[in-house]
Amino acid sequence: MNIGLIGSGGREHALCKKIFESKLVNKIFCFPGNAGTSQIAINVEVDILNFKKVLKFIKFFKIDLVIVGPEEPLVNGVVDYLKKNKIKVFGPNKYASKLEGSKAFMKMICAKNNIPTAKFKVCKKVEEVKNFLNICKLPIVVKADGLAAGKGVTICKTAKQVIKKTSEIFNGKFKSSKKVVLEEFLVGEEASYFVIVDNKSFKFFGTAQDHKRVYEKDKGPNTGGMGAYSPAPIVSKKVEKKIISKIVRPTLKALRKEKNPYNGFLYVGLMINNNEPYLIEYNIRMGDPECQVILPRLKTDIVRIFKNAISNKLKNTQIKWEKRKSMTIVLCAKGYPGSYKKNLQIDNVNKIKLLKTDYIYHAGTKLIMNKLRSNGGRILNITSIGDNFFIIRKKIINIIKKLNLKNIFYRKDIGWKVINKNENY
Ligand code: AMP
Ligand code: GLY
């Protein structure tokens, strides 16, 4: 089979490597990919939101199955467009993609189906915001309704800040929507739970914990993710049962009832407090960098899983997982998530020898005149698997030191919560 993979981050390099391992694959085409994917696939330079052009390439290269990595093309309806043109594609349609594309839509599904989540109000006017301020204690979480590239959420400690942030959104700060979702602030520990879904059933696809803040001890502004580990020990069997029965099943049932069954990866973002899971957000894709810790643990041929998912045969598909743990540390350009330099030299990456348990995934990288250069804020993800998070982290940091890259930084404390709790993790 020829596979088409849409996206260009660390998540897509991890997907590409896993697809490359499949016995069912002939060629892989990445739209547009990065310097890492170009080593094992053919990169096709194209605007992934220009569906017409993407379709032209899919037909030209005789691609049998398309996998969509990031949320933006999904929310814009790439799956509907490709299916209408008789292309096989793995991912949710435009309607189901509203689970991530509209926080108001996601919250309404929760409200209608008794799914545990933070108390909320969808607001279009300042008066509505003031009413919510009267009934909900601070802090209050202000969220832009539509996609906001990770910049749409603010935890506000004062009423004044709530008014300021909501006014900015009403005035069109985020082009995707002028609606605001206000939420009560939830306490607990965050974790991500993943499933792969077809029209009839779903299967577990790993757990992970991400580190969104830029500095150690979870300080500083939010980023796309500075590192992750898998599995997430906080998701015990008991908690998992509740996630499935109280959150995943009612959501999938609701979408089926609305004649838009969910297909694809579903990322369930949770706050867990006293063994009770609350839904914070849905993402309609794999996480980045969560994908880079989950896929190294997958033992089953991923292309067979995708094939079975698009033909609604997941129920009888066995998905096997490596028992060992994994961690990834994200290497960023100095200044990220603010302004940072591009074209940093990262040539050393090609010189380093890796063990079978270690992986270097490219994120913001490109080849300029055959030289490896940075092309984004998050540049590389160094992943390793093993039996103990503390030792895995040491191994990763050793690899990073060997890389000896200039003008980059990373968090040395990935996994701190779990490592501090119990050294045997
Ligand atoms: P979201 O884009 O909805 O995932 O929000 C981004 C981050 O904001 C989450 O990963 C949480 O750390 C935090 N957050 C969002 N909603 C809440 C909430 N209701 N209570 C506490 N923290 C939240
Ligand atoms: N790591 C967070 C995300 O993928 O949304």
Side-chain angles (χ1 to χ4, degrees), residues 94-138:
K94 189 171 181 174
Y95 185 89
S97 294
K98 286 197 289 187
L99 282 184
E100 177 168 359
S102 166
K103 292 193 188 287
F105 175 85
M106 178 284 250
K107 283 296 209 179
M108 290 321 292
I109 294 244
C110 289
K112 277 194 215 159
N113 298 281
N114 274 325
I115 293 169
T117 188
K119 283 196 201 79
F120 73 100
K121 180 158 181 63
V122 180
C123 303
K124 290 183 190 151
K125 291 190 260 174
V126 179
E127 288 74 53
E128 293 167 325
V129 176
K130 287 181 179 159
N131 288 342
F132 190 74
L133 274 165
N134 285 334
I135 57 162
C136 184
K137 61 176 195 291
L138 292 157

Short mmCIF file of all heavy atoms in Angstrom, two decimals, residues 94-138:
data_model
loop_
_atom_site.label_atom_id
_atom_site.label_comp_id
_atom_site.label_asym_id
_atom_site.label_seq_id
_atom_site.Cartn_x
_atom_site.Cartn_y
_atom_site.Cartn_z
N LYS A 94 -15.93 16.43 9.64
CA LYS A 94 -15.98 17.83 10.10
C LYS A 94 -16.89 17.98 11.33
O LYS A 94 -16.57 18.69 12.28
CB LYS A 94 -16.48 18.70 8.94
CG LYS A 94 -16.37 20.17 9.22
CD LYS A 94 -16.66 20.98 7.98
CE LYS A 94 -16.52 22.45 8.30
NZ LYS A 94 -16.64 23.30 7.14
N TYR A 95 -18.04 17.31 11.30
CA TYR A 95 -18.98 17.43 12.40
C TYR A 95 -18.36 16.91 13.70
O TYR A 95 -18.33 17.60 14.72
CB TYR A 95 -20.28 16.68 12.08
CG TYR A 95 -21.34 16.88 13.14
CD1 TYR A 95 -22.22 17.95 13.05
CD2 TYR A 95 -21.44 16.03 14.23
CE1 TYR A 95 -23.18 18.16 14.03
CE2 TYR A 95 -22.39 16.22 15.21
CZ TYR A 95 -23.27 17.29 15.11
OH TYR A 95 -24.20 17.49 16.08
N ALA A 96 -17.82 15.68 13.64
CA ALA A 96 -17.25 15.07 14.85
C ALA A 96 -16.02 15.84 15.32
O ALA A 96 -15.70 15.87 16.52
CB ALA A 96 -16.90 13.61 14.59
N SER A 97 -15.33 16.50 14.38
CA SER A 97 -14.12 17.27 14.74
C SER A 97 -14.44 18.48 15.59
O SER A 97 -13.54 19.10 16.18
CB SER A 97 -13.39 17.71 13.48
OG SER A 97 -12.89 16.59 12.80
N LYS A 98 -15.74 18.83 15.68
CA LYS A 98 -16.11 19.95 16.55
C LYS A 98 -15.81 19.64 18.03
O LYS A 98 -15.78 20.54 18.85
CB LYS A 98 -17.59 20.29 16.37
CG LYS A 98 -17.84 21.02 15.03
CD LYS A 98 -19.17 21.72 15.01
CE LYS A 98 -20.31 20.73 14.94
NZ LYS A 98 -21.62 21.38 14.76
N LEU A 99 -15.61 18.36 18.35
CA LEU A 99 -15.22 18.03 19.73
C LEU A 99 -13.98 18.82 20.14
O LEU A 99 -13.83 19.18 21.30
CB LEU A 99 -14.91 16.53 19.85
CG LEU A 99 -16.06 15.54 19.93
CD1 LEU A 99 -15.51 14.14 20.15
CD2 LEU A 99 -17.05 15.89 21.04
N GLU A 100 -13.08 19.07 19.17
CA GLU A 100 -11.92 19.93 19.45
C GLU A 100 -12.11 21.33 18.88
O GLU A 100 -11.67 22.31 19.47
CB GLU A 100 -10.63 19.31 18.87
CG GLU A 100 -9.41 20.22 19.09
CD GLU A 100 -8.07 19.57 18.80
OE1 GLU A 100 -8.02 18.38 18.43
OE2 GLU A 100 -7.05 20.27 18.94
N GLY A 101 -12.79 21.41 17.74
CA GLY A 101 -12.91 22.68 17.02
C GLY A 101 -13.82 23.69 17.68
O GLY A 101 -13.73 24.89 17.43
N SER A 102 -14.72 23.22 18.57
CA SER A 102 -15.59 24.14 19.29
C SER A 102 -15.75 23.67 20.73
O SER A 102 -16.38 22.63 20.99
CB SER A 102 -16.96 24.22 18.62
OG SER A 102 -17.87 24.85 19.50
N LYS A 103 -15.19 24.45 21.65
CA LYS A 103 -15.29 24.06 23.07
C LYS A 103 -16.75 24.14 23.54
O LYS A 103 -17.16 23.38 24.41
CB LYS A 103 -14.38 24.93 23.92
CG LYS A 103 -12.91 24.65 23.62
CD LYS A 103 -11.99 25.25 24.63
CE LYS A 103 -10.51 25.13 24.22
NZ LYS A 103 -9.96 23.78 24.34
N ALA A 104 -17.53 25.04 22.92
CA ALA A 104 -18.95 25.15 23.27
C ALA A 104 -19.68 23.87 22.85
O ALA A 104 -20.50 23.33 23.62
CB ALA A 104 -19.57 26.36 22.58
N PHE A 105 -19.37 23.34 21.68
CA PHE A 105 -19.98 22.08 21.20
C PHE A 105 -19.63 20.94 22.15
O PHE A 105 -20.51 20.17 22.57
CB PHE A 105 -19.46 21.78 19.78
CG PHE A 105 -19.90 20.46 19.22
CD1 PHE A 105 -21.13 20.33 18.59
CD2 PHE A 105 -19.08 19.33 19.31
CE1 PHE A 105 -21.54 19.10 18.06
CE2 PHE A 105 -19.48 18.11 18.79
CZ PHE A 105 -20.71 17.99 18.16
N MET A 106 -18.35 20.85 22.50
CA MET A 106 -17.90 19.77 23.39
C MET A 106 -18.62 19.85 24.74
O MET A 106 -19.10 18.85 25.26
CB MET A 106 -16.37 19.90 23.53
CG MET A 106 -15.70 18.91 24.44
SD MET A 106 -15.94 19.24 26.19
CE MET A 106 -14.36 19.75 26.69
N LYS A 107 -18.76 21.08 25.27
CA LYS A 107 -19.40 21.26 26.57
C LYS A 107 -20.89 20.92 26.50
O LYS A 107 -21.46 20.39 27.45
CB LYS A 107 -19.21 22.70 27.06
CG LYS A 107 -17.81 22.97 27.59
CD LYS A 107 -17.55 22.14 28.83
CE LYS A 107 -16.60 22.76 29.79
NZ LYS A 107 -16.39 21.94 30.99
N MET A 108 -21.54 21.23 25.36
CA MET A 108 -22.96 20.90 25.23
C MET A 108 -23.16 19.39 25.21
O MET A 108 -24.11 18.87 25.79
CB MET A 108 -23.55 21.52 23.94
CG MET A 108 -23.68 23.03 23.96
SD MET A 108 -24.20 23.76 25.52
CE MET A 108 -25.87 23.17 25.58
N ILE A 109 -22.25 18.66 24.55
CA ILE A 109 -22.31 17.19 24.56
C ILE A 109 -22.20 16.70 26.01
O ILE A 109 -22.94 15.81 26.44
CB ILE A 109 -21.16 16.57 23.70
CG1 ILE A 109 -21.36 16.93 22.23
CG2 ILE A 109 -21.02 15.07 23.96
CD1 ILE A 109 -21.63 15.79 21.28
N CYS A 110 -21.30 17.31 26.78
CA CYS A 110 -21.12 16.91 28.18
C CYS A 110 -22.41 17.17 28.97
O CYS A 110 -22.89 16.31 29.70
CB CYS A 110 -19.98 17.69 28.83
SG CYS A 110 -18.37 17.21 28.23
N ALA A 111 -22.97 18.37 28.78
CA ALA A 111 -24.16 18.74 29.55
C ALA A 111 -25.33 17.81 29.22
O ALA A 111 -26.03 17.35 30.11
CB ALA A 111 -24.51 20.19 29.24
N LYS A 112 -25.51 17.53 27.93
CA LYS A 112 -26.66 16.70 27.52
C LYS A 112 -26.53 15.26 27.98
O LYS A 112 -27.52 14.54 28.08
CB LYS A 112 -26.75 16.69 25.98
CG LYS A 112 -27.47 17.89 25.39
CD LYS A 112 -27.78 17.58 23.94
CE LYS A 112 -27.67 18.81 23.09
NZ LYS A 112 -27.47 18.51 21.68
N ASN A 113 -25.28 14.79 28.20
CA ASN A 113 -25.08 13.38 28.49
C ASN A 113 -24.48 13.10 29.87
O ASN A 113 -23.96 12.01 30.10
CB ASN A 113 -24.19 12.77 27.39
CG ASN A 113 -24.85 12.87 26.03
OD1 ASN A 113 -25.73 12.08 25.70
ND2 ASN A 113 -24.44 13.86 25.25
N ASN A 114 -24.57 14.11 30.73
CA ASN A 114 -24.07 13.94 32.11
C ASN A 114 -22.62 13.52 32.20
O ASN A 114 -22.26 12.70 33.06
CB ASN A 114 -24.91 12.88 32.83
CG ASN A 114 -26.13 13.51 33.42
OD1 ASN A 114 -26.07 14.66 33.86
ND2 ASN A 114 -27.23 12.78 33.40
N ILE A 115 -21.80 14.03 31.33
CA ILE A 115 -20.38 13.68 31.35
C ILE A 115 -19.67 14.60 32.35
O ILE A 115 -19.84 15.82 32.30
CB ILE A 115 -19.79 13.83 29.92
CG1 ILE A 115 -20.42 12.77 29.01
CG2 ILE A 115 -18.27 13.73 29.93
CD1 ILE A 115 -20.15 12.95 27.54
N PRO A 116 -18.90 14.02 33.29
CA PRO A 116 -18.28 14.86 34.31
C PRO A 116 -17.26 15.83 33.72
O PRO A 116 -16.32 15.41 33.02
CB PRO A 116 -17.59 13.86 35.25
CG PRO A 116 -17.53 12.57 34.50
CD PRO A 116 -18.63 12.59 33.49
N THR A 117 -17.47 17.12 33.97
CA THR A 117 -16.60 18.17 33.44
C THR A 117 -16.77 19.40 34.33
O THR A 117 -17.68 19.43 35.18
CB THR A 117 -16.96 18.46 31.96
OG1 THR A 117 -15.98 19.35 31.41
CG2 THR A 117 -18.33 19.08 31.79
N ALA A 118 -15.94 20.43 34.12
CA ALA A 118 -16.07 21.65 34.93
C ALA A 118 -17.38 22.35 34.61
O ALA A 118 -17.83 22.35 33.46
CB ALA A 118 -14.90 22.58 34.63
N LYS A 119 -18.01 22.97 35.64
CA LYS A 119 -19.21 23.79 35.40
C LYS A 119 -18.85 24.89 34.42
O LYS A 119 -17.72 25.41 34.46
CB LYS A 119 -19.65 24.44 36.71
CG LYS A 119 -20.35 23.51 37.63
CD LYS A 119 -21.10 24.34 38.70
CE LYS A 119 -21.39 23.48 39.89
NZ LYS A 119 -20.24 23.31 40.79
N PHE A 120 -19.78 25.28 33.57
CA PHE A 120 -19.40 26.21 32.51
C PHE A 120 -20.56 27.09 32.06
O PHE A 120 -21.72 26.81 32.37
CB PHE A 120 -18.89 25.42 31.30
CG PHE A 120 -19.99 24.72 30.55
CD1 PHE A 120 -20.52 25.26 29.38
CD2 PHE A 120 -20.53 23.52 31.02
CE1 PHE A 120 -21.55 24.62 28.70
CE2 PHE A 120 -21.55 22.89 30.34
CZ PHE A 120 -22.07 23.43 29.19
N LYS A 121 -20.20 28.12 31.30
CA LYS A 121 -21.22 28.91 30.60
C LYS A 121 -20.62 29.39 29.28
O LYS A 121 -19.49 29.85 29.23
CB LYS A 121 -21.62 30.12 31.47
CG LYS A 121 -22.67 30.97 30.78
CD LYS A 121 -23.46 31.80 31.77
CE LYS A 121 -24.52 32.63 31.06
NZ LYS A 121 -25.54 31.83 30.38
N VAL A 122 -21.42 29.23 28.22
CA VAL A 122 -21.01 29.75 26.92
C VAL A 122 -21.53 31.18 26.82
O VAL A 122 -22.71 31.42 27.04
CB VAL A 122 -21.60 28.89 25.77
CG1 VAL A 122 -21.16 29.43 24.41
CG2 VAL A 122 -21.19 27.43 25.93
N CYS A 123 -20.64 32.14 26.54
CA CYS A 123 -21.04 33.55 26.54
C CYS A 123 -20.75 34.21 25.19
O CYS A 123 -19.73 33.94 24.55
CB CYS A 123 -20.26 34.33 27.59
SG CYS A 123 -20.44 33.67 29.25
N LYS A 124 -21.70 35.11 24.83
CA LYS A 124 -21.49 35.92 23.62
C LYS A 124 -21.47 37.41 23.95
O LYS A 124 -21.17 38.23 23.11
CB LYS A 124 -22.61 35.63 22.61
CG LYS A 124 -22.54 34.25 22.00
CD LYS A 124 -23.64 34.07 20.97
CE LYS A 124 -23.72 32.63 20.54
NZ LYS A 124 -25.05 32.23 20.13
N LYS A 125 -21.85 37.73 25.22
CA LYS A 125 -21.93 39.14 25.63
C LYS A 125 -21.33 39.33 27.02
O LYS A 125 -21.34 38.39 27.84
CB LYS A 125 -23.40 39.58 25.71
CG LYS A 125 -24.10 39.66 24.37
CD LYS A 125 -25.44 40.32 24.54
CE LYS A 125 -26.48 39.30 24.59
NZ LYS A 125 -27.72 39.19 24.78
N VAL A 126 -20.87 40.55 27.32
CA VAL A 126 -20.25 40.85 28.62
C VAL A 126 -21.24 40.61 29.77
O VAL A 126 -20.85 40.13 30.84
CB VAL A 126 -19.71 42.29 28.65
CG1 VAL A 126 -19.09 42.61 30.00
CG2 VAL A 126 -18.66 42.48 27.57
N GLU A 127 -22.55 40.89 29.54
CA GLU A 127 -23.55 40.70 30.62
C GLU A 127 -23.54 39.24 31.08
O GLU A 127 -23.64 38.96 32.28
CB GLU A 127 -24.97 41.06 30.16
CG GLU A 127 -25.25 42.53 29.97
CD GLU A 127 -24.60 43.07 28.71
OE1 GLU A 127 -24.84 42.47 27.65
OE2 GLU A 127 -23.83 44.05 28.79
N GLU A 128 -23.44 38.33 30.11
CA GLU A 128 -23.45 36.91 30.46
C GLU A 128 -22.21 36.56 31.29
O GLU A 128 -22.27 35.74 32.21
CB GLU A 128 -23.48 36.06 29.18
CG GLU A 128 -24.78 36.19 28.39
CD GLU A 128 -24.67 35.60 26.99
OE1 GLU A 128 -23.60 35.69 26.37
OE2 GLU A 128 -25.68 35.08 26.52
N VAL A 129 -21.10 37.18 30.96
CA VAL A 129 -19.86 36.95 31.71
C VAL A 129 -20.05 37.41 33.16
O VAL A 129 -19.67 36.71 34.10
CB VAL A 129 -18.68 37.72 31.04
CG1 VAL A 129 -17.40 37.57 31.85
CG2 VAL A 129 -18.47 37.24 29.61
N LYS A 130 -20.66 38.60 33.31
CA LYS A 130 -20.87 39.14 34.67
C LYS A 130 -21.78 38.23 35.48
O LYS A 130 -21.55 38.01 36.68
CB LYS A 130 -21.44 40.56 34.58
CG LYS A 130 -20.36 41.55 34.12
CD LYS A 130 -20.89 42.96 34.06
CE LYS A 130 -19.77 43.91 33.64
NZ LYS A 130 -20.28 45.16 33.09
N ASN A 131 -22.80 37.69 34.84
CA ASN A 131 -23.70 36.76 35.54
C ASN A 131 -22.94 35.54 36.05
O ASN A 131 -23.16 35.08 37.17
CB ASN A 131 -24.83 36.28 34.61
CG ASN A 131 -25.83 37.38 34.35
OD1 ASN A 131 -25.87 38.35 35.11
ND2 ASN A 131 -26.62 37.24 33.29
N PHE A 132 -22.04 35.01 35.21
CA PHE A 132 -21.28 33.81 35.62
C PHE A 132 -20.34 34.16 36.78
O PHE A 132 -20.17 33.36 37.70
CB PHE A 132 -20.49 33.24 34.43
CG PHE A 132 -19.87 31.88 34.71
CD1 PHE A 132 -20.67 30.74 34.76
CD2 PHE A 132 -18.50 31.72 34.92
CE1 PHE A 132 -20.12 29.48 35.00
CE2 PHE A 132 -17.94 30.47 35.18
CZ PHE A 132 -18.75 29.35 35.21
N LEU A 133 -19.78 35.38 36.74
CA LEU A 133 -18.89 35.82 37.82
C LEU A 133 -19.63 35.85 39.17
O LEU A 133 -19.03 35.62 40.22
CB LEU A 133 -18.34 37.22 37.52
CG LEU A 133 -17.08 37.26 36.63
CD1 LEU A 133 -16.83 38.66 36.09
CD2 LEU A 133 -15.86 36.76 37.41
N ASN A 134 -20.94 36.11 39.12
CA ASN A 134 -21.74 36.14 40.35
C ASN A 134 -21.97 34.76 40.95
O ASN A 134 -22.21 34.63 42.15
CB ASN A 134 -23.10 36.78 40.08
CG ASN A 134 -22.97 38.28 39.92
OD1 ASN A 134 -22.04 38.87 40.47
ND2 ASN A 134 -23.87 38.88 39.16
N ILE A 135 -21.93 33.71 40.10
CA ILE A 135 -22.27 32.38 40.64
C ILE A 135 -21.06 31.43 40.74
O ILE A 135 -21.17 30.36 41.31
CB ILE A 135 -23.38 31.69 39.80
CG1 ILE A 135 -22.96 31.58 38.33
CG2 ILE A 135 -24.72 32.39 39.94
CD1 ILE A 135 -23.76 30.56 37.56
N CYS A 136 -19.91 31.81 40.17
CA CYS A 136 -18.75 30.90 40.19
C CYS A 136 -17.59 31.58 40.89
O CYS A 136 -17.27 32.74 40.63
CB CYS A 136 -18.37 30.54 38.76
SG CYS A 136 -17.04 29.32 38.67
N LYS A 137 -16.94 30.84 41.79
CA LYS A 137 -15.83 31.50 42.50
C LYS A 137 -14.55 31.46 41.65
O LYS A 137 -14.40 30.63 40.77
CB LYS A 137 -15.65 30.91 43.89
CG LYS A 137 -15.31 29.44 43.98
CD LYS A 137 -15.09 29.11 45.46
CE LYS A 137 -14.40 27.80 45.68
NZ LYS A 137 -15.06 26.58 45.38
N LEU A 138 -13.67 32.40 41.97
CA LEU A 138 -12.39 32.52 41.24
C LEU A 138 -11.41 31.46 41.76
O LEU A 138 -11.57 31.01 42.88
CB LEU A 138 -11.81 33.92 41.44
CG LEU A 138 -12.65 35.04 40.78
CD1 LEU A 138 -12.40 36.37 41.45
CD2 LEU A 138 -12.32 35.11 39.29
#
